[in-house]
Amino acid sequence: MNSIPERIKLANLPTRIQKLERLSEKLGGPNIFIKRDDETGAEISGNKIRKLEFTVKKALDEGCDFLITCGGIQSNHARATAAVTAKLGMKSCLVLRGNGKENIDGNLFLNKVLGAKIKFITPEAYKEKRMEIMENIKEELAKEGHKAYIIPEGASDGIGTFGYYKAMEEIIEQEREMGINFDAIVVSVGSGGTYGGVFLGKKILNHKSKIYGVNVCNDAEHFKRRIEELLYESLNIMNETLDFTKDEINILDGYVGRGYALSKPEEIDFIRELAQLEGIILDPVYTGKAMYGLANEIKKGTFKEHQNILFIHTGGLFGVFPKIDLF
Ligand SMILES: *Cc1c(COP(=O)(O)O)cnc(C)c1O
């Protein structure tokens, strides 16, 4: 039982849980709390770092000195990976979806400062053969005497998912300290590992909450399938079995808006409003859409059976800077 792999310590944990007093009052529904996983660090920040604690441990155990990963042009995961490698004296190569003509700002700028090698590939190449491209880079590096480890998009695989299994343990401990029970937990969903880990923790640790994900790309059916796969991968590593069905995976579809990393004026207005109401800045790609979705669903009555909602702020602050014009 609970035989999960070891991790290295990279994140500042536990992250705080705060009540959003004014937002809760304004929406007139359940109490809304926020878990500040945007504060897991500065350069090495956000949700990806919890997953990387497990992933990088595995890479180090295998004797790797290079991490290869992929993501969108402003990927928070790529930036966190670049920062982790610099911190550990390793090197990174980031395969990013773009043409190299984009403005050098936000996460892309930080990647350069952190010394990551960057390879830009077209959206088609990204979709069809990013794994093959990363394998080729790994082979090239091997010729130069490096041993590289390939981390999939968002570090969302059976290993990375344990980051949020551990976060669920942390939440249960904080509930005890705070004398409160969260009956709903809400996260944004981009590659599914965060949701998968929280769900795995909930099921194995018998937590009573209902876990909701707000997808920021694709659709609910895609993520139910993807998260189910991730769960089986993690369970396999744990040597555990678990009774669950795909239908227990609750995805609140309808907040992708104009598409991945594209913003609607309502979303930007919401981010500005929350910043001024609570002093917390959400990001335009993930948490802005997810919290906008949560507020909307509260108004629609979706959360009326719940008393205390915990929203996980998964980070992404650097993503506001490439969108200054929209604000
Ligand atoms: C990657 C990311 C997410 C989505 O997490 P997944 O585990 O990929 O679903 C949410 N918020 C931020 C800020 C992210 O960078």
Side-chain angles (χ1 to χ4, degrees), residues 114-259:
L114 289 161
K117 283 185 200 280
I118 299 173
K119 181 175 174 65
F120 296 101
I121 62 172
T122 62
E124 297 73 45
Y126 189 91
K127 194 161 175 241
E128 304 298 333
K129 50 181 190 188
R130 60 176 183 267
M131 214 51 201
E132 192 184 319
I133 291 168
M134 291 195 287
E135 292 287 357
N136 289 341
I137 295 171
K138 182 176 168 174
E139 276 174 37
E140 286 305 309
L141 287 169
K143 288 181 198 151
E144 296 167 23
H146 292 291
K147 187 164 183 199
Y149 184 95
I150 297 175
I151 305 175
E153 185 181 63
S156 286
D157 60 7
I159 289 282
T161 298
F162 290 120
Y164 273 85
Y165 173 90
K166 283 301 241 185
M168 192 67 213
E169 278 184 0
E170 189 178 301
I171 290 167
I172 292 169
E173 180 61 33
Q174 286 175 308
E175 282 185 315
R176 236 174 258 137
E177 285 164 15
M178 295 170 76
I180 194 165
N181 290 307
F182 298 114
D183 50 11
I185 298 179
V186 181
V187 298
S188 52
V189 176
S191 58
T194 303
Y195 186 102
V198 174
F199 184 87
L200 184 67
K202 169 218 148 59
K203 293 295 281 187
I204 289 185
L205 306 166
N206 277 318
H207 195 257
K208 300 278 173 276
S209 56
K210 196 162 165 183
I211 318 294
Y212 295 89
V214 181
N215 57 307
V216 302
C217 53
N218 290 304
D219 59 17
E221 206 36 53
H222 168 88
F223 280 113
K224 283 183 174 215
R225 261 185 281 121
R226 180 67 195 126
I227 292 165
E228 187 183 35
E229 278 170 13
L230 283 173
L231 290 168
Y232 282 124
E233 260 185 68
S234 297
L235 287 164
N236 190 37
I237 295 168
M238 293 175 85
N239 226 344
E240 278 269 344
T241 53
L242 188 65
D243 258 342
F244 73 96
T245 70
K246 217 162 55 137
D247 293 326
E248 291 175 66
I249 299 170
N250 298 296
I251 303 291
L252 298 169
D253 208 339
Y255 299 97
V256 174
R258 291 179 51 227

Side-chain angles (χ1 to χ4, degrees), residues 20 23 270-280 282 291:
L20 297 178
L23 182 68
F270 182 81
I271 292 172
R272 187 190 290 104
E273 200 184 305
L274 191 87
Q276 298 180 9
L277 197 62
E278 299 282 359
I280 294 174
L282 300 170
M291 181 77 96

Side-chain angles (χ1 to χ4, degrees), residues 81-115:
T81 302
V84 166
T85 52
K87 178 185 160 59
L88 298 176
M90 304 169 82
K91 294 220 173 326
S92 59
C93 181
L94 311 175
V95 175
L96 303 180
R97 189 172 48 215
N99 56 22
K101 298 199 184 77
E102 290 83 2
N103 282 341
I104 309 290
D105 54 16
N107 289 301
L108 181 58
F109 167 68
L110 294 177
N111 291 338
K112 301 221 173 209
V113 175
L114 289 161

Side-chain angles (χ1 to χ4, degrees), residues 46-48 51 74-77 79 153-156 164 187-196 216 223 260 283 285-287 312-317:
N47 61 337
K48 301 309 176 319
K51 307 186 201 180
Q74 282 294 333
S75 167
N76 297 304
H77 163 66
R79 180 257 311 148
E153 185 181 63
S156 286
Y164 273 85
V187 298
S188 52
V189 176
S191 58
T194 303
Y195 186 102
V216 302
F223 280 113
Y260 177 75
D283 82 289
V285 182
Y286 298 96
T287 54
I312 304 184
H313 189 334
T314 40
L317 177 62

